[in-house]
């Protein structure tokens, strides 16, 4: 966690909210002083061995340890912006009992490369929205979009639909899919913004999207063949990104963006077909080797 964790916790402690705020940190083997930094900032810290970390299971553990009626999940490298981030994130749950969860905006860091900036702007824009699904055919990347990097969930909804602990990642969208298909709604609140982006290289973007592809069948793919859906979405996305680079006078990034997006698409396609791949190849492609061992 390091300095990212310190900024995250300091941002949480600055929030203006007329309610008790409890901070629970689950640490999986940090050796950089993160545990001490968290405890110094008043957090309850629960330590687990690194090999026990799992996106879904570890968040379930944190929720089990917490006492609140609303569970707020935030990644260690997400920095809350402003003094009303938390109030903006949780208030829709109080206004609308049909909401299972709310997720907030993610803005790129100043050093983020243009493809990462476009990606976050594409997913997390300035307009509020409420997502619902009436039929499995409506399941898609867009309708199930949800991110535990910056989210609030009604405890009663989480108790009924705990995060899956047997998938490599995308536990948030897998959760979103289940609650939506059971009649709940999900809200996106752009006023609840955090600074959060990743310095992916082309190689690390490939590995990250390989893992996303492994989870895609249970998270955001509908009934259409996965290859066709992923190709169609990727082509539409790439054309939008190229147009944005031209409009924003960043055309020199086009060759890099093309290679970057191709790596993501190949990773997604391979991940979606992981059952037919040998173990040695999966271990070369993944960001989470422990999942496969």
């Amino acid at each position: 966690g390091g300095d990212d964790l310190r900024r995250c916790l300091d941002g949480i402690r600055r929030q203006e909210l007329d309610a008790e705020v409890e901070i629970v940190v689950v640490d999986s083997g940090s050796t950089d002083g993160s545990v001490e930094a968290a405890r110094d900032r008043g957090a309850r810290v629960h330590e687990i061995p690194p090999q026990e970390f799992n996106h879904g299971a570890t968040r379930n553990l944190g929720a089990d340890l917490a006492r609140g009626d609303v569970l707020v999940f935030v990644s260690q490298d997400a920095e809350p912006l402003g003094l009303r981030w938390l109030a903006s994130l949780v208030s829709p749950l109080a206004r609308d009992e049909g909401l299972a969860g709310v997720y907030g905006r993610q803005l790129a860091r100043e050093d983020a490369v243009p493809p990462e900036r476009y990606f976050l702007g594409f997913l997390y824009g300035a307009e509020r929205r409420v997502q619902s699904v009436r039929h499995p055919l409506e399941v898609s990347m867009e309708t199930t979009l949800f991110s535990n990097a910056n989210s609030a969930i009604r405890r009663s909804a989480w108790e009924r639909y705990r995060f899956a602990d047997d998938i490599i990642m995308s536990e948030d969208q897998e959760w979103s899919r289940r609650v939506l298909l059971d009649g709940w709604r999900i809200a996106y609140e752009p006023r609840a913004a955090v600074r959060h982006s990743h310095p992916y290289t082309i190689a690390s973007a490939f590995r990250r999207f390989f893992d996303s592809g492994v989870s895609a069948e249970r998270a955001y793919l509908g009934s259409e063949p996965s290859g066709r859906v992923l190709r169609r979405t990727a082509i539409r996305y790439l054309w939008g990104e190229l147009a944005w680079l031209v409009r924003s006078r960043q055309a020199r990034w086009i060759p890099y963006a093309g290679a970057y997006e191709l790596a993501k698409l190949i990773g997604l396609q391979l991940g979606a077909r992981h059952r037919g791949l040998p173990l040695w190849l999966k271990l070369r492609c993944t960001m989470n080797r422990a999942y496969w061992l």
Side-chain angles (χ1 to χ4, degrees):
D3 289 338
D4 285 339
L5 176 65
R6 294 178 180 89
R7 282 189 288 268
C8 175
L9 295 177
D10 289 342
I12 294 172
R13 296 175 70 205
R14 285 194 296 267
Q15 294 304 300
E16 297 177 349
L17 186 70
D18 187 22
E20 180 185 358
V21 177
E22 173 192 44
I23 302 175
V24 176
V25 171
V26 181
D27 183 271
S28 53
S30 296
T31 58
D32 62 353
S34 291
V35 169
E36 293 77 12
R39 287 186 173 134
D40 287 345
R41 287 161 173 79
R44 289 178 58 201
V45 179
H46 184 88
E47 298 180 67
I48 62 173
Q51 63 272 19
E52 289 186 9
F53 175 83
N54 169 276
H55 286 286
T58 302
R59 285 176 170 85
N60 284 335
L61 172 60
D64 280 326
L65 293 169
R67 296 179 290 112
D69 293 328
V70 175
L71 302 168
V72 173
F73 296 91
V74 60
S75 297
Q76 65 179 25
D77 57 346
E79 180 183 0
L81 298 179
L83 302 180
R84 301 291 294 172
W85 156 76
L86 188 54
S88 298
L89 189 63
V90 303
S91 60
L93 295 175
R95 295 194 304 265
D96 186 347
E97 294 185 357
L99 293 177
V102 182
Y103 65 108
R105 195 172 190 179
Q106 297 181 43
L107 298 172
R109 300 180 186 279
E110 291 183 1
D111 59 352
V113 297
E116 179 74 357
R117 289 183 177 277
Y118 180 78
F119 176 73
L120 292 176
F122 180 85
L123 294 181
Y124 309 107
E127 300 297 323
R128 295 186 185 91
R129 58 180 176 263
V130 176
Q131 297 156 214
S132 61
V133 170
R134 292 168 294 180
H135 191 278
L137 291 175
E138 296 178 352
V139 169
S140 69
M141 292 182 182
E142 292 81 12
T143 58
T144 64
L145 182 59
F146 191 75
S147 175
N148 275 336
N150 179 24
S151 70
I153 291 176
R154 197 181 302 277
R155 175 178 280 278
S156 59
W158 170 79
E159 288 175 342
R160 185 171 178 181
Y161 313 93
R162 293 171 67 93
F163 296 121
D165 58 9
D166 60 344
I167 58 175
I168 192 169
M169 64 175 297
S170 301
E171 86 297 332
D172 37 21
Q173 281 194 267
E174 193 276 342
W175 178 87
S176 173
R177 176 180 182 145
R178 282 186 286 134
V179 299
L180 289 170
L181 286 173
D182 203 28
W184 292 80
R185 297 187 302 279
I186 297 292
Y188 168 66
E189 176 48 72
R191 293 180 303 171
V194 298
R195 188 76 64 187
H196 181 246
S197 56
H198 296 285
Y200 290 132
T201 63
I202 290 176
S204 60
F206 166 85
R207 290 193 290 271
R208 190 265 184 217
F209 279 83
F210 173 84
D211 288 350
S212 179
V214 172
S215 302
E217 186 176 79
R218 292 175 57 184
Y220 52 77
L221 286 181
S223 57
E224 290 188 73
S226 60
R228 186 166 63 196
V229 174
L230 295 175
R231 285 194 300 271
R232 187 171 63 236
T233 303
I235 290 171
R236 185 174 73 247
Y237 177 88
L238 179 58
W239 280 115
E241 182 177 355
L242 296 180
W244 174 77
L245 288 171
V246 172
R247 289 196 309 271
S248 59
R249 299 183 180 181
Q250 301 179 93
R252 65 185 182 86
W253 282 91
I254 287 177
Y256 180 87
Y260 187 83
E261 302 303 343
L262 180 60
K264 287 162 58 176
L265 177 59
I266 293 173
L268 273 173
Q269 296 274 14
L270 280 175
R273 295 168 171 78
H274 69 94
R275 290 183 181 84
L277 303 180
L279 178 59
W280 68 265
L281 183 55
K282 296 176 186 179
L283 293 175
R284 293 289 299 273
C285 293
T286 186
M287 293 189 81
N288 187 359
R289 291 173 60 90
Y291 174 81
W292 304 101
L293 300 175

